[in-house]
Amino acid sequence: MHTGFASAGVCVALFLSAPAALANPVAPGVAEIEFGYMCQLESSEDVIAEDTIAGTISNIIGSPEFQRLGTTVPAQIGIEFGILARVLPEYEGPVTFQVEHPPQGAAGVTRESWQAFLSSSEMSFAGFSFENQYELTPGEWTLSAMSNGRLIYSVTFDVVEPVGSAIDALGCEGPALVS
């Protein structure tokens, strides 16, 4: 998990016009937004995130660039998906990121969350990387950000069984780039 601020699957990083592939993104607090998937990003450090299955999130290195835009994501180890957003000034500051997904792990967890910061001057990334077999659960996955009880954004992804190797199609260096 990553979140250019989550590990065993969630991410957020500090550092763009929503594609038509998303039916109705809810993004009242954003100035710019982009979403899609890419090869798993390298992480710089793990941070404690008690409300995640792994118990940590991973800060990522550098500014992510999606290799595929949209909301359809192949469920394959080594794939990372998420949202890049720059918020409106009144939404800048500490936020709670949340991912809702089909049941995972022995406890059947369906919601994970962590704290981070969103900027009105830089794009920030929040996402999820498939690092473990139990995470490969097709279905609807919703990534959202909230601040002081106000929704900043919410995007629902359709995680699907991969047709062929998404890793090979993206040109990733290996099945998992976990550090």
Side-chain angles (χ1 to χ4, degrees), residues 53-137:
I53 294 173
T56 62
I57 59 170
S58 297
N59 284 327
I60 59 171
I61 297 170
S63 179
E65 186 174 317
F66 294 116
Q67 291 167 285
R68 300 284 190 275
L69 294 175
T71 58
T72 301
V73 177
Q76 185 173 358
I77 299 292
I79 295 291
E80 182 150 354
F81 67 98
I83 301 163
L84 271 169
R86 184 175 59 82
V87 297
L88 297 169
E90 61 269 26
Y91 288 87
E92 181 174 78
V95 300
T96 299
F97 288 103
Q98 180 173 287
V99 60
E100 294 178 63
H101 50 67
Q104 294 183 353
V109 172
T110 60
R111 188 193 62 78
E112 301 177 70
S113 66
W114 63 98
Q115 307 298 308
F117 183 89
L118 284 177
S119 173
S120 63
S121 61
E122 298 181 80
M123 297 292 277
S124 299
F125 176 76
F128 195 94
S129 63
F130 294 121
E131 298 175 8
N132 300 293
Q133 284 299 127
Y134 72 84
E135 296 169 334
L136 303 178
T137 52

Side-chain angles (χ1 to χ4, degrees), residues 34-48:
E34 183 176 294
F35 37 86
Y37 71 92
M38 66 204 107
C39 299
Q40 186 173 341
L41 302 166
E42 184 179 349
S43 65
S44 62
E45 66 179 335
D46 288 342
V47 177
I48 293 174

Side-chain angles (χ1 to χ4, degrees), residues 3-24:
T3 152
F5 288 95
S7 178
V10 181
C11 299
V12 179
L14 292 179
F15 307 20
L16 315 242
S17 48
L22 181 62
N24 290 305

